[in-house]
Amino acid sequence: MSALHHRIEMGCQLPQVSLIEGPELDVRLDAVNQLLVASQTSSLTRDPRWLLIFRDAMKHRVFLLTATIQQEIVGFLPLVLMKSWLFGNRLVSLPYVNTAGVLTRIPELQQLLVQQAMELADRLRVKSLELRNEELVDVTDLTQPATQKVHMRLSLPAETETLWKAFNPKVRNQIRKAEKNELTVRWGALEELPAFYQVFSTNMRDLGTPVFSRKMFSRILSTFPDAAELCTVYKGMNPVASGLLLHGHGVTEVPSASSLREYNSTCANMLMYWNMLKRAVERKQRVFDFGRSSPDSPTYQFKKQWGAQAEAAAWQYYLRGGSTSDLRPDNPRFRLLINTWKKLPLWLTRWIGPPIARVIP
């Protein structure tokens, strides 16, 4: 018998689903967040306060679906409405992050919350609903999971010495090479944001990708002062690599990390990741999430060398027009735009990039 059926048999009330937005959202977030506190392993990107970041820093309309039984919140689904003439209007849970979607202790509520999200997508007449779940949700009209990407995750030992010994000799040699190149590492939050954004925006331009606003990263750091931090590698006074770490319940992840190509020979990127991994172990985390990659791609191989293992992604879609390939910014029809972007002056990409990036999920 399922947990939901058991509650019904015991005379409990049926679950009630509510749609929350506007000022009420600020009031209800603390109560919703108690579900995460009760979770032994959970990414920080499951925290419902991300909705405030997307609302206040990115100017998106946001929603929160909650399921309650006898006035207790037992499940929720955060959603962001992204309006774009280029990609079409979409409902996403959640943009920027790799893991979001439904969170509930009662599996049957997954279907109930997703069905309500699909009804919201119909009312808003969006092109699609995108769910970045950790587990597949069995609901009619949801597509099969997207298979172009996999999560790259590493189980962490209790001690950094154990982690170091697990690396192959090539990885250890590259870290030692970086240390011999007199690179230094600094940790910080808002005080390190200028250095992080200098490296990150340069790398995004070189990749042909519009950069997110500095305001978004500032809001992430201020929203999670004890769980979000920046790791920056310097060559002298110049920042050459930098990454954003998010420490959740047992999981540390890196949603954004970059290094300057002209310093590749110094192995600055290797030193940065070694320090980020050490940080996660020191915080007694159990998993380090390197983010998603396409199988056998250069980024996939980079993450694999640290010992990361591929885990299938459970992203699903409710399509109201087009196909899943139409919805991705890496679609071949954007190739010309990408190549053009790489040639733009850096100052220009920092100016016109954020308005574009805000509508790229």
Side-chain angles (χ1 to χ4, degrees):
M1 181 182 296
S2 71
L4 181 55
H5 289 164
H6 178 71
R7 286 173 179 261
I8 295 173
E9 290 290 329
M10 294 298 292
C12 297
Q13 298 177 2
L14 293 174
Q16 179 181 357
V17 176
S18 302
L19 178 64
I20 302 171
E21 63 173 319
E24 185 184 0
L25 185 65
D26 301 74
V27 177
R28 300 289 297 277
L29 284 185
D30 284 343
V32 174
N33 202 37
Q34 292 306 306
L35 278 179
L36 288 179
V37 175
S39 175
Q40 293 185 348
T41 303
S42 180
S43 165
L44 185 66
T45 60
R46 308 306 303 271
D47 194 306
R49 286 176 291 177
W50 279 90
L51 290 176
L52 303 182
I53 295 171
F54 295 122
R55 183 192 68 187
D56 300 337
M58 307 295 284
K59 305 305 178 184
H60 291 304
R61 185 180 176 187
V62 299
F63 306 89
L64 183 65
L65 285 167
T66 62
T68 59
I69 296 178
Q70 290 186 328
Q71 299 182 335
E72 176 190 357
I73 297 176
V74 292
F76 68 87
L77 171 56
L79 296 160
V80 173
L81 175 61
M82 307 185 73
K83 294 184 176 181
S84 169
W85 62 268
L86 183 60
F87 300 109
N89 296 346
R90 284 180 282 177
L91 201 58
V92 184
S93 182
L94 288 171
Y96 177 64
V97 306
N98 288 319
T99 297
V102 180
L103 184 68
T104 175
R105 294 195 298 263
I106 303 175
E108 287 79 6
L109 288 181
Q110 291 182 342
Q111 290 90 344
L112 183 59
L113 286 165
V114 169
Q115 287 166 351
Q116 292 296 313
M118 292 164 63
E119 291 183 12
L120 177 61
D122 289 336
R123 292 201 301 272
L124 296 173
R125 299 187 178 186
V126 296
K127 192 172 184 179
S128 69
L129 165 67
E130 180 177 304
L131 300 172
R132 303 181 176 184
N133 295 312
E134 279 293 286
E135 299 176 357
L136 295 179
V137 181
D138 185 15
V139 173
T140 303
D141 294 330
L142 279 186
T143 65
Q144 291 299 311
T147 57
Q148 302 94 332
K149 305 274 188 179
V150 292
H151 296 291
M152 296 298 290
R153 291 166 176 160
L154 174 65
S155 296
L156 296 173
E159 303 292 337
T160 56
E161 182 179 356
T162 305
L163 181 65
W164 174 261
K165 291 179 178 179
F167 298 150
N168 64 51
K170 181 180 178 181
V171 169
R172 291 197 294 265
N173 287 338
Q174 288 178 316
I175 296 171
R176 292 190 185 103
K177 179 180 178 181
E179 293 171 340
K180 292 178 181 178
N181 280 317
E182 300 182 348
L183 301 176
T184 57
V185 177
R186 297 183 195 172
W187 289 93
L190 292 174
E191 70 275 14
E192 283 297 320
L193 183 55
F196 166 84
Y197 200 71
Q198 179 180 331
V199 175
F200 182 71
S201 59
T202 301
N203 189 58
M204 290 297 102
R205 189 279 309 272
D206 293 344
L207 292 173
T209 303
V211 66
F212 288 104
S213 70
R214 180 167 160 171
K215 184 177 181 180
M216 185 190 80
F217 293 107
S218 175
R219 188 59 191 264
I220 292 172
L221 293 166
S222 60
T223 299
F224 306 112
D226 299 321
E229 59 181 341
L230 298 171
C231 175
T232 305
V233 178
Y234 287 82
K235 177 67 173 176
M237 298 298 293
N238 299 319
V240 297
S242 191
L244 169 66
L245 269 75
L246 303 177
H247 304 289
H249 299 277
V251 180
T252 290
E253 60 192 309
V254 185
S256 294
S258 299
S259 61
L260 300 181
R261 295 181 180 182
E262 58 265 38
Y263 290 92
N264 282 351
S265 63
T266 68
C267 295
N269 206 33
M270 298 296 291
L271 183 64
M272 176 180 66
Y273 270 91
W274 167 232
N275 277 270
M276 293 193 297
L277 285 162
K278 286 197 299 181
R279 191 72 150 196
V281 172
E282 290 164 358
R283 291 181 66 114
K284 306 301 180 183
Q285 300 286 68
R286 294 181 290 275
V287 176
F288 190 92
D289 192 332
F290 286 84
R292 296 201 317 151
S293 292
S294 299
D296 298 322
S297 67
T299 57
Y300 175 93
Q301 296 298 335
F302 174 83
K303 297 166 184 177
K304 186 177 180 180
Q305 71 179 335
W306 296 97
Q309 299 295 313
E311 296 183 10
W315 289 22
Q316 292 174 283
Y317 300 84
Y318 169 51
L319 297 176
R320 302 185 68 256
S323 66
T324 55
S325 61
D326 296 331
L327 307 176
R328 303 310 308 161
D330 55 3
N331 186 296
R333 69 190 179 99
F334 300 122
R335 192 167 298 152
L336 177 60
L337 294 175
I338 292 173
N339 291 333
T340 301
W341 196 269
K342 293 179 180 180
K343 301 174 183 178
L344 296 178
L346 183 59
W347 68 267
L348 183 60
T349 63
R350 288 174 176 168
W351 179 40
I352 66 175
I356 300 173
R358 68 177 289 275
V359 295
I360 299 177

